[in-house]
Amino acid sequence: MSVSETSAPLLPILIYPESVLRKVARPITPADADEVRRLVPSMFATMYNAPGIGLAANQIGSLLRMIVVDVAPKEKPEPMALINPEIIAKSDETATQEEGCLSIPDQYAEVTRPARVKVRYQDPEGMKKEIEAEGLLSACLQHEIDHLNGVLFVDYLSALKRNMLLRKLAKAQKGR
Ligand code: K1U
Ligand code: ZN
């Protein structure tokens, strides 16, 4: 069974203004291996089920520095789990992309970020890796690494746009 079809337990996705979304996640060490092995399949299952193209550990209430992403079409999944991801280079050129967030459901806004990034990370087996990304993958990696630092996409918006969006979210959540 592939990771996009896994039956691993789904995890509840925490919704803004949950405080763990504003916390900084801590680096993963070899002592966390069992927890990482347990969480990775469940984070993929939760991301695909949402559906979403990324998920950071803060969003499921864990403060381990790990994210999962897959921006490929559903028919040809390209799942990636990144442990201790860090941006080691970013372009001066910027790109603007409409972003959403599974922790800020049904609210979208254009966010401007560096167009390309180079990310260093470990895979779940502990192998050191680097990836260069542009387009949607670049925006998604930056969005997920922001989560690990307690940063949300709404932080990039003007106060006016942010307050409008968060008021809409609060209204929608009240009606649930
Ligand atoms: O971290 C998250 O909250 C996941 C978020 C990631 C993201 C989206 C857009 C730009 C940057 C980062 C999402 O996946 S929101 C849902 C979404 O974008 C989507 C859902 C289904 C199909 C395609 C996209
Ligand atoms: Zn998000």
Side-chain angles (χ1 to χ4, degrees), residues 21 54-56 59 99-104 143-144 147 151-153:
L21 296 172
L55 190 69
Q59 293 177 279
E99 295 193 16
C101 181
L102 299 175
S103 297
I104 305 180
H143 178 118
E144 302 310 330
H147 271 303
V151 174
L152 300 171
F153 81 93

